[in-house]
Amino acid sequence: MYSIVTTAIVYGLESRCIRVEADVSNGLPVFEMVGFLSSEVKEAKERVRTALHNCGYTLPAKRITINLFPANVKKSGTGFDLPIAVAILAALGEIEKNALEETLIAGEISLSGQVQPVQGVLPIVAMAKEQGIKRCILPYVNLTEAKLIDGVTIWGVKNLLELTAYLKGKTYIEKEPIYIEETEQNSKKEDFSDINGQETVKRACEVAVAGRHNFLMIGPPGSGKTMIAQRIPGILPPMTKEEQLEISKIYSICGMLPQTGTLLQKRPFRSPHHTISINGLAGGGMIPKPGEISLAHKGVLFLDELPEYKKSTLEVMRQPMEDREIVLVRQAGAYRYPADFMLVAAMNPCNCGYYPDRNKCNCREADIRRYLGRISKPLLDRIDICIESPLICYDDLTKRKEKNEPSAQIRERVMAAVSRQQERFRGTGILYNSEIPSKDMETYCHLGEKQKKYMKEMYQKLELSVRGYYKILKVARTIADLDGTEEIEIRHLNEAVCYRILDKKYWE
Ligand SMILES: [Zn+2]
């Protein structure tokens, strides 16, 4: 007797259909599983056998063969337990085969037959819909997530016996998904109006967000760098539906999608500690899981105390920052995860934190060089805006909070600048000014005669590199967009130049 069940595997950000074949025939009693299986899939044999037994099904003393195909895809994860159990029951004639048509089944089972949740349900159901599969049978706990995709019937099951009853003809009763409200702590409001003073840093931050430029703050401890970074989520533009689905898939694969009953609404803000490993940042494992750079996709990756990160850890970000995705090559294949993030970094200028204030800083010149040298030139090259955050002065400290501009107001300007960019780049695949390729500089960052003369002076005076020169133009483009003008004016260029001179001051 033979049967076939459809299930799925998550591969990178996408999901692929996998078929489970079961064959029960006369011969020596063995239970065999084949089809390029990882160790946890091989272990399914014992779980399924015991679970079936505990649910009252005794396997006959026959030859049972399970095959998972296509054979060229490495099967990993624990979601195959349930489809394997169902395939065996169908091959034994316990379940009618036509009950399994146009149906996808995924889930882990415990020894007692309870169905356990699996990761990556969102990409699995999205794929099922694309493939025209009518019904997905999934663990009850995953129901909230599965229901985010409409147009597919979802059955949430709690145990194997319940499922076999349904497949034998019992009517499925719609279950209420589990919803967990966002906690108070997650939705706490941090506002730019909390920050007194630091007007230039706040302004630079606004420009960075508006054009999605990578952003670095240098200053002594206690100057509010972290506070400013933490308030960036409050001024980010909203996500489109496609962006929400894409980022929700990443969180689904990591088992981190909050069960709120909606796709992720807010752009991610990730701030991994400086002890993070390369795998933690870039993604890793035998079957790689997304790392922090992918969890920050379409949002912000904040690295506080930048020189404290291992140099090798920081270096892995270089390629993804260019390609906006990371490719993790393993024996089982190449896994792609998107990694299109805005880098925000903060650092002290030296070990004590007070350089170049020589009244406070006693660090030796060589130590300062070494400290700053932990940030490599190629990484610095990928940062468009660099700003000093000085210690706050007394007058600013005692300023009334009501006088500070709230995040909502800043966000309005950011959104206006973002929509100017959308208008400009329609159909080009470019989203933000920071992404303008060198060949299109003349088209998008055209300069008038006066402006060209000014930039020529700056080019010579500051001994700019070509890359540095282009960066000034891109940032000036964003400043002009915030200003609401198409023409890039001298004051825009001037402000952009100010964001470039700091790396010269500290690193050259
Ligand atoms: Zn120092």
Side-chain angles (χ1 to χ4, degrees):
M1 289 280 274
Y2 167 87
S3 75
I4 186 161
V5 171
T6 302
T7 183
I9 189 177
V10 178
Y11 190 89
L13 198 55
E14 297 310 318
S15 175
R16 291 184 187 177
C17 253
I18 300 287
R19 316 273 172 192
V20 179
E21 290 178 298
D23 182 79
V24 181
S25 57
N26 291 326
L28 281 177
V30 282
F31 188 157
E32 253 191 335
M33 278 180 47
V34 292
F36 201 13
L37 313 177
S38 68
S39 56
E40 71 261 30
V41 183
K42 287 178 189 153
E43 286 164 2
K45 195 159 72 176
E46 293 313 314
R47 282 194 298 270
V48 169
R49 191 210 302 269
T50 315
L52 285 172
H53 179 79
N54 287 334
C55 290
Y57 298 103
T58 314
L59 293 184
K62 287 184 173 182
R63 186 183 181 87
I64 299 172
T65 312
I66 303 287
N67 177 37
L68 273 64
F69 72 92
N72 62 350
V73 182
K74 177 102 174 181
K75 323 296 183 304
S76 65
T78 49
F80 296 110
D81 295 1
L82 195 58
I84 290 171
V86 171
I88 292 173
L89 290 176
L92 291 173
E94 293 281 346
I95 297 168
E96 287 289 331
K97 280 169 200 164
N98 56 20
L100 302 172
E101 278 168 15
E102 298 180 314
T103 298
L104 183 149
I105 304 176
E108 182 183 333
I109 41 181
S110 71
L111 297 183
S112 63
Q114 297 298 313
V115 177
Q116 307 292 336
V118 290
Q119 291 178 353
V121 161
L122 192 59
I124 289 174
V125 180
M127 179 276 296
K129 185 184 177 181
E130 274 168 34
Q131 304 263 323
I133 291 168
K134 299 259 159 49
R135 179 177 59 180
C136 291
I137 300 176
L138 297 163
Y140 168 67
V141 178
N142 292 127
L143 194 59
T144 323
E145 201 174 313
K147 290 249 180 200
L148 294 174
I149 307 282
D150 45 19
V152 184
T153 305
I154 310 287
W155 284 9
V157 291
K158 291 180 180 168
N159 60 62
L160 185 58
L161 277 180
E162 183 194 353
L163 174 58
T164 49
Y166 292 144
L167 291 173
K168 281 175 178 169
K170 190 181 163 196
T171 321
Y172 174 78
I173 299 155
E174 200 66 29
K175 290 195 180 78
E176 192 55 37
I178 310 162
Y179 291 120
I180 299 168
E181 291 290 318
E182 231 182 331
T183 55
E184 203 50 27
Q185 206 199 349
N186 289 346
S187 56
K188 71 174 173 211
K189 277 263 168 284
E190 285 170 330
D191 201 283
F192 268 99
S193 61
D194 306 336
I195 299 170
N196 285 338
Q198 304 297 26
E199 297 307 327
T200 50
V201 189
K202 284 193 242 176
R203 163 69 182 175
C205 185
E206 176 182 336
V207 175
V209 170
R212 239 206 27 185
H213 301 282
N214 295 324
F215 179 47
L216 171 66
M217 292 173 275
I218 306 179
S223 56
K225 303 181 296 267
T226 312
M227 274 179 82
I228 287 175
Q230 283 164 344
R231 279 154 185 77
I232 290 179
I235 61 169
L236 293 171
M239 288 199 280
T240 63
K241 258 263 155 346
E242 291 80 50
E243 286 176 325
Q244 287 175 9
L245 181 61
E246 194 181 23
I247 184 75
S248 297
K249 278 184 181 176
I250 299 174
Y251 279 71
S252 168
I253 291 166
C254 296
M256 289 166 66
L257 192 65
Q259 302 213 3
T260 53
T262 56
L263 295 172
L264 284 176
Q265 304 290 307
K266 281 190 229 140
R267 288 182 189 271
F269 179 85
R270 305 292 302 177
S271 51
H273 190 252
H274 59 74
T275 51
I276 191 168
S277 66
I278 291 181
N279 283 355
L281 193 67
M286 285 276 279
I287 303 295
K289 283 267 185 282
E292 288 291 337
I293 59 170
S294 297
L295 291 170
H297 181 58
K298 297 291 172 196
V300 172
L301 180 71
F302 174 49
L303 303 182
D304 206 354
E305 311 285 354
L306 191 62
E308 302 294 333
Y309 290 79
K310 273 207 213 98
K311 211 167 177 176
S312 52
T313 309
L314 292 180
E315 291 307 291
V316 298
M317 295 197 309
R318 272 166 55 185
Q319 205 54 45
M321 282 170 86
E322 291 292 303
D323 303 340
R324 299 193 200 104
E325 68 166 9
I326 182 145
V327 183
L328 300 156
V329 181
R330 296 292 185 273
Q331 205 182 2
Y335 294 78
R336 274 167 205 284
Y337 288 114
D340 185 11
F341 59 89
M342 171 184 171
L343 176 68
V344 176
M347 63 183 284
N348 297 338
C350 65
N351 277 312
C352 80
Y354 293 100
Y355 178 80
D357 181 353
R358 282 309 202 171
N359 290 326
K360 284 184 175 173
C361 171
N362 293 321
C363 298
R364 287 183 313 175
E365 201 64 37
D367 290 337
I368 296 169
R369 292 294 126 228
R370 195 172 315 124
Y371 189 80
L372 293 169
R374 292 191 207 163
I375 315 297
S376 74
K377 189 88 181 70
L379 183 64
L380 267 184
D381 264 346
R382 284 167 177 77
I383 289 167
D384 293 354
I385 296 182
C386 188
I387 189 98
E388 255 174 338
S389 71
L391 277 177
I392 184 165
C393 63
Y394 186 77
D395 285 349
D396 282 338
L397 187 72
T398 50
K399 203 160 95 172
R400 296 258 309 279
K401 193 189 159 200
E402 298 81 68
K403 293 203 175 140
N404 297 327
E405 194 178 26
S407 292
Q409 233 166 330
I410 304 172
R411 186 167 187 250
E412 251 170 57
R413 288 196 298 271
V414 166
M415 279 167 59
V418 168
S419 65
R420 285 186 77 89
Q421 294 170 72
Q422 282 168 347
E423 196 65 38
R424 173 178 311 125
F425 301 128
R426 184 156 295 159
T428 62
I430 304 172
L431 291 172
Y432 298 95
N433 290 332
S434 54
E435 298 167 15
I436 301 174
S438 316
K439 65 176 171 57
D440 295 332
M441 291 305 290
E442 183 54 33
T443 321
Y444 298 124
C445 303
H446 177 75
L447 296 184
E449 281 314 311
K450 262 194 294 185
Q451 289 86 330
K452 271 187 190 150
K453 199 166 148 253
Y454 172 82
M455 279 313 288
K456 189 177 172 188
E457 260 173 51
M458 286 298 147
Y459 189 76
Q460 285 158 352
K461 197 170 128 198
L462 300 173
E463 296 170 338
L464 291 172
S465 64
V466 177
R467 200 194 267 262
Y469 173 78
Y470 284 156
K471 265 193 227 179
I472 291 175
L473 294 192
K474 289 186 215 177
V475 173
R477 173 74 273 162
T478 303
I479 298 168
D481 284 338
L482 277 169
D483 220 359
T485 64
E486 200 44 45
E487 192 184 348
I488 299 175
E489 291 166 19
I490 300 240
R491 62 198 158 96
H492 304 139
L493 291 166
N494 190 29
E495 186 179 342
V497 166
C498 292
Y499 299 141
R500 280 307 304 167
I501 44 184
L502 268 195
D503 55 342
K504 282 210 173 309
K505 172 172 164 186
Y506 285 98
W507 277 277
E508 278 166 27

